[in-house]
Amino acid sequence: MANSVQAGAQTQAQGKHLGVTEPISLAAPTEIDLLRTRELEQFLVNAGLYESQEEAVQREELLGRLDQIVKHWVKRISRNKGFNEQLVQEANAKIFTFGSYRLGVHGPGADIDTLCVGPRHATREEDFFIELHSMLAEMPEVTELHPVQDAHVPVMKFKFNGISVDLLYARLALWVIPEDLDISQDSILRNVDEQSVRSLNGCRVTDQILKLVPNIQHFRTTLRCMKFWANRRGVYSNVAGFLGGVNWALLTARICQLYPNAVPSMLVSRFFRVYTQWRWPNPVMLCPIEEGTLGLPVWDPRKNPRDRTHQMPIITPAYPCMNSSYNVSSSTLRVMTEEFQRGNEISEAVEMNKADWSVLFEHYPFFEAYRNYLQIDIVAADDEDLRSWKGWVESRLRFLTLKIERHTFGILQCHPHPSECVDTSRKGHHYAFFMGLSRKQGVPVQEGEQFDIRVTVEEFRHSVNMYMLRKPGMEIYVSHVRRKNIPLFVFPGGVRPVRGPKTSSTAGRQSASLGMKTSQSTGSLVKTGSGETDLCCDSSVARFKRKRERPEETKSVRSLHVLPAQGAQNESRLQGENTDEPAQAVSQIISDEDIAFQKVTGGQAAAFVPEAEELDTFDDYGMYATGGRLMEQTRITSTVVIEESGPGRGQRESPLSRSGVGSFPNVNMDELEVWIFISTASWISLPAVLLQDCKFTEKVTVLPRKQNTIVE
């Protein structure tokens, strides 16, 4: 670990940087930052996030024992397949770790993600899921053995001496697995089946993350903090449509790249600042996406229409690069964005000594945040059937969210609870899942309006009941419940908490009473006014809004001039001039760090924009950006006037630029953004609604905000 930290420091000292852009800031920590970091680390210790030395030893012994088991297994199947004794003795399998354990951020009781790499003659269907499964089932130290063969990444789940293990399998195109096998080499993927590629990807991604952060220890502390925060705030669950461990690791690693000299307290604050203002679906990437030489599909919205639909792309750094967060829906993205905003506000308060770290990690009161919920109950005949049934239903719940959003045209939004609840007083084998329901902010409530989702729920139940391994006794029930009727078993100790005054953390998600019907609904509900608030606001844009609303406060402004090419550190300057036009104050919000910040959060170079011939006109681009539907041009709004002085100074043309003076009098300003050319290769973007009627003397372009591009 020390060597990695020193390597990261050497990289910075040599003027190099990690990531797809230069860092936002190279500022070193102050004494106050170091003090806050010590306070944060102590908070994490007090929260019990670090395992004991005894448990660490138990995990190491488990991994050693598991490695012996798979080596014995591969020799047994080699002998059964008729291999001679020499080949049997040479036959080998190897265990690798990945996930939180490999990253060094696991806590007490956490499971261990493991990968078994076997030779080409050891099959997944028969040898791994039958032969190895039988061997494990006979061992007294192995309990709760549960194979999941039909998962996207097939896995065998079990407990070994009480420690949870997830075991994947990758079958390589090798007759003998060497003990010093390096799975980070792309050649290891040659002639490997798709399921093995996905299984190998976990280890390969984990190793790449550790190579791409400037300081591993700071990364680990920050990631441990962010995972704890995500659990407390109810946004840690890949299967529910939020983010899982690898997603949070990738987001955290990107912040470490952008602030390479920052300590954990600074990184936590910057994490919320950056992702509060991130312009999704611009992707988060730790390194450029490589096409590779093996022809494996990589994430590329230019070629893959499905990739264009991803809400929150977080791209894995190992070939083949994939979107690790494809489960995120518009509703779960909304929830996470609100949580990022809350985290940003609290982090700023901590920096001003107006709050302490415990406020950031307060539990999210899910069962108090909404007035209406869906309750999904599942039952099975025994524990083994319930585990299988639960895994299947859990994997399908995100489709219920998508169906409800689609069938109500996005007006009814869903917030899934990230984990299941159990009624211990109930006889039988049972789990319950919950979803909070709310009306989309800004949508007016019409008298007598109801949401009839009975058909939607019935479609979902029908799709779930198509489970191929379904047995008698496996049932699912979906019902609509109000907040006051939420069952007591969901609350700690079975006691419903006394509701206090509404706080900012829940105000944004508080729904109006909804008129709604489900298959188990007992009548319509009375609708009341909505208690919605706007929680998401870019702090720099907010400052500019205040300047526009109070122009008398603007005494001196600066106009934007072309900056030097990328790579010239600290040479960017904004030249100032006095003027009485408050609209020109847009340039006042742009500083050197703001420019770097906007480049990162707004996008980084049109790396995934289709070729120029595919975007001959503005309407062509509008059709591409909106999935084949031209933007509606029905409302008359203010005009954005663009004046260009031509490329000049050797500037290169962007494939998206418009020449001459352009205006867009009939387009909703909220759907446009202005891209300002600031160097020979760099652009930043600002919402057009803030820049209407402004005139620019440098190169700009106006585009739809809902674009599927990556900018660097």
Side-chain angles (χ1 to χ4, degrees):
M1 183 176 67
N3 291 336
S4 300
V5 175
Q6 291 173 2
Q10 276 185 342
T11 299
Q12 298 300 324
Q14 295 170 359
K16 300 179 182 179
H17 63 83
L18 297 168
V20 294
T21 65
E22 294 182 357
I24 291 178
S25 173
L26 297 175
T30 64
E31 287 298 325
I32 297 297
D33 293 322
L34 296 174
L35 175 61
R36 291 198 187 101
T37 295
R38 289 193 291 270
E39 293 174 350
L40 178 60
E41 290 172 342
Q42 187 58 50
F43 179 87
L44 299 179
V45 171
N46 295 341
L49 299 186
Y50 294 87
E51 68 177 359
S52 65
Q53 184 62 34
E54 180 182 358
E55 188 173 359
V57 171
Q58 289 177 348
R59 290 176 183 272
E60 292 178 4
E61 291 175 349
L62 181 155
L63 291 172
R65 178 77 175 105
L66 189 58
D67 193 60
Q68 292 175 355
I69 292 171
V70 297
K71 283 175 166 50
H72 176 65
W73 159 74
V74 78
K75 294 183 187 302
R76 175 190 286 188
I77 63 172
S78 298
R79 186 174 287 109
N80 292 341
K81 291 177 184 289
F83 284 60
N84 62 45
E85 193 59 29
Q86 180 180 352
L87 293 178
V88 169
Q89 294 305 316
E90 292 177 351
N92 190 31
K94 188 170 174 58
I95 290 292
F96 293 87
T97 61
F98 62 99
S100 61
Y101 183 82
R102 176 70 180 91
L103 289 172
V105 295
H106 60 286
D111 60 0
I112 304 179
D113 295 311
T114 58
L115 168 69
C116 173
V117 175
R120 63 188 305 168
H121 61 276
T123 65
R124 173 181 292 102
E125 293 76 12
E126 296 180 1
D127 297 326
F128 181 75
F129 277 112
I130 296 179
E131 185 66 26
L132 181 58
H133 178 274
S134 299
M135 289 177 59
L136 293 172
E138 295 172 358
M139 297 179 180
E141 58 265 53
V142 175
T143 58
E144 300 182 19
L145 181 59
H146 175 52
V148 188
Q149 294 179 249
D150 54 352
H152 185 66
V153 182
V155 60
M156 195 130 60
K157 296 174 175 286
F158 57 91
K159 285 188 176 182
F160 198 101
N161 287 332
I163 300 176
S164 297
V165 177
D166 286 355
L167 180 61
L168 312 183
Y169 180 66
R171 177 190 181 191
L172 302 187
L174 301 173
W175 287 107
V176 177
I177 302 298
E179 196 62 30
D180 59 350
L181 179 69
D182 181 6
I183 60 174
S184 66
Q185 300 297 320
D186 291 350
S187 59
I188 206 73
L189 304 176
R190 193 179 304 277
N191 299 322
V192 170
D193 64 86
E194 187 175 347
Q195 290 176 319
S196 293
V197 170
R198 288 197 291 263
S199 298
L200 286 163
N201 202 40
C203 294
R204 290 164 52 82
V205 167
T206 303
D207 289 344
Q208 278 296 103
I209 291 174
L210 293 175
K211 293 177 182 178
L212 290 171
V213 293
N215 187 308
I216 292 180
Q217 188 56 50
H218 291 170
F219 163 74
R220 284 174 169 161
T221 302
T222 307
L223 177 56
R224 197 181 291 272
C225 178
M226 298 317 305
K227 291 178 65 175
F228 183 54
W229 170 83
N231 269 301
R232 287 293 187 103
R233 300 306 299 173
V235 290
Y236 190 100
S237 173
N238 186 279
V239 70
F242 295 109
L243 302 181
V246 67
N247 309 127
W248 292 110
L250 291 169
L251 292 182
T252 303
R254 185 67 182 119
I255 300 303
C256 293
Q257 291 180 339
L258 296 173
Y259 299 91
N261 297 325
V263 292
S265 64
M266 300 168 64
L267 292 170
V268 169
S269 174
R270 273 56 172 185
F271 182 99
F272 291 118
R273 183 192 173 201
V274 168
Y275 293 122
T276 292
Q277 302 181 51
W278 195 271
R279 301 288 291 278
W280 306 106
N282 282 332
V284 173
M285 300 186 298
L286 300 186
C287 60
I289 295 177
E290 297 181 359
E291 292 290 338
T293 59
L294 302 180
L296 297 174
V298 298
W299 187 83
D300 188 346
R302 296 173 304 180
K303 301 176 181 178
N304 308 321
R306 180 176 296 182
D307 292 346
R308 301 175 194 169
T309 67
H310 293 168
Q311 300 281 333
M312 192 182 188
I314 303 173
I315 311 304
T316 56
Y319 175 79
C321 298
M322 307 174 186
N323 176 22
S324 64
S325 53
Y326 60 87
N327 277 354
V328 174
S329 68
S330 58
S331 284
T332 52
L333 176 58
R334 169 185 58 88
V335 172
M336 287 186 284
T337 300
E338 292 173 359
E339 285 300 332
F340 290 154
Q341 175 64 27
R342 173 189 177 273
N344 187 46
E345 294 170 355
I346 294 175
S347 296
E348 290 178 353
V350 170
E351 290 182 340
M352 294 185 292
N353 294 322
K354 294 183 178 179
D356 56 35
W357 290 113
S358 62
V359 179
L360 180 66
F361 299 99
E362 288 178 351
H363 280 285
Y364 176 66
F366 178 84
F367 292 105
E368 302 172 50
Y370 295 93
R371 296 179 182 174
N372 296 275
Y373 296 84
L374 280 185
Q375 179 175 340
I376 300 97
D377 294 283
I378 63 171
V379 295
D382 54 46
D383 287 340
E384 184 176 350
D385 286 355
L386 184 62
R387 276 196 301 271
S388 174
W389 185 229
K390 170 182 172 289
W392 168 252
V393 173
E394 204 171 25
S395 70
R396 312 307 294 175
L397 285 177
R398 68 185 183 93
F399 294 104
L400 177 59
T401 299
L402 296 174
K403 285 177 179 289
I404 291 175
E405 291 176 352
R406 183 171 64 247
H407 292 177
T408 61
F409 304 99
I411 299 177
L412 186 59
Q413 297 178 324
C414 302
H415 176 182
H417 191 265
S419 59
E420 71 280 358
C421 301
V422 182
D423 185 0
T424 56
S425 65
R426 177 172 175 173
K427 293 183 178 180
H429 307 274
H430 159 264
Y431 282 117
F433 301 92
F434 290 86
M435 289 185 181
L437 302 173
S438 64
R439 186 185 301 272
K440 184 178 181 180
Q441 293 186 16
V443 176
V445 180
Q446 299 180 8
E447 185 175 355
E449 181 185 19
Q450 289 185 334
F451 293 104
D452 189 344
I453 58 174
R454 287 175 292 187
V455 174
T456 305
V457 169
E458 192 56 36
E459 287 181 1
F460 168 73
R461 292 181 66 250
H462 178 73
S463 66
V464 169
N465 286 331
M466 296 295 289
Y467 183 40
M468 295 182 61
L469 302 179
R470 189 183 177 201
K471 298 180 180 179
M474 293 182 175
E475 300 293 343
I476 179 171
Y477 307 94
V478 183
S479 57
H480 165 226
V481 294
R482 296 189 184 185
R483 178 172 56 204
K484 63 181 180 180
N485 297 325
I486 288 290
L488 295 179
F489 66 81
V490 306
F491 301 108
V495 178
R496 188 185 305 274
V498 178
R499 295 192 66 225
K502 190 184 300 183
T503 64
S504 61
S505 63
T506 59
R509 302 187 202 168
Q510 189 64 264
S511 67
S513 293
L514 303 173
M516 179 172 53
K517 295 179 181 179
T518 68
S519 56
Q520 276 84 19
S521 186
T522 56
S524 61
L525 304 177
V526 179
K527 294 177 290 298
T528 62
S530 175
E532 297 157 350
T533 59
D534 183 9
L535 292 180
C536 187
C537 183
D538 181 325
S539 58
S540 60
V541 172
R543 290 197 298 272
F544 176 58
K545 284 183 177 179
R546 290 196 293 271
K547 287 182 172 65
R548 286 183 58 87
E549 294 168 357
R550 298 189 292 275
E552 66 278 1
E553 296 181 8
T554 306
K555 298 180 181 180
S556 175
V557 299
R558 295 168 289 178
S559 59
L560 183 65
H561 289 257
V562 176
L563 303 179
Q566 286 184 352
Q569 292 287 339
N570 300 322
E571 295 180 4
S572 303
R573 294 291 182 269
L574 294 172
Q575 303 178 10
E577 60 183 55
N578 292 327
T579 176
D580 294 329
E581 297 184 24
Q584 295 266 349
V586 59
S587 301
Q588 198 168 26
I589 68 173
I590 303 177
S591 66
D592 289 353
E593 185 168 336
D594 285 334
I595 288 173
F597 191 87
Q598 290 287 348
K599 282 170 60 181
V600 170
T601 59
Q604 293 122 20
F608 287 95
V609 176
E611 288 72 14
E613 59 268 19
E614 298 181 19
L615 301 175
D616 292 332
T617 67
F618 177 78
D619 286 342
D620 286 344
Y621 186 82
M623 179 173 291
Y624 166 74
T626 56
R629 299 184 303 276
L630 287 174
M631 293 167 52
E632 295 183 3
Q633 300 186 358
T634 56
R635 285 179 286 179
I636 304 299
T637 60
S638 300
T639 301
V640 178
V641 179
I642 307 303
E643 293 184 359
E644 292 185 324
S645 59
R649 307 189 194 182
Q651 300 167 5
R652 69 179 186 183
E653 282 283 335
S654 163
L656 303 179
S657 63
R658 290 169 55 90
S659 59
V661 178
S663 63
F664 304 85
N666 299 323
V667 180
N668 182 359
M669 292 296 102
D670 290 333
E671 296 177 350
L672 293 177
E673 63 185 7
V674 174
W675 286 80
I676 306 173
F677 194 82
I678 62 171
S679 77
T680 58
S682 303
W683 297 72
I684 64 171
S685 66
L686 291 170
V689 67
L690 301 181
L691 309 180
Q692 54 194 10
D693 301 321
C694 294
K695 294 184 178 181
F696 297 89
T697 58
E698 301 299 341
K699 186 176 179 65
V700 299
T701 186
V702 176
L703 295 173
R705 294 185 67 181
K706 298 178 180 178
Q707 54 182 309
N708 293 300
T709 60
I710 302 174
V711 215
E712 64 185 5

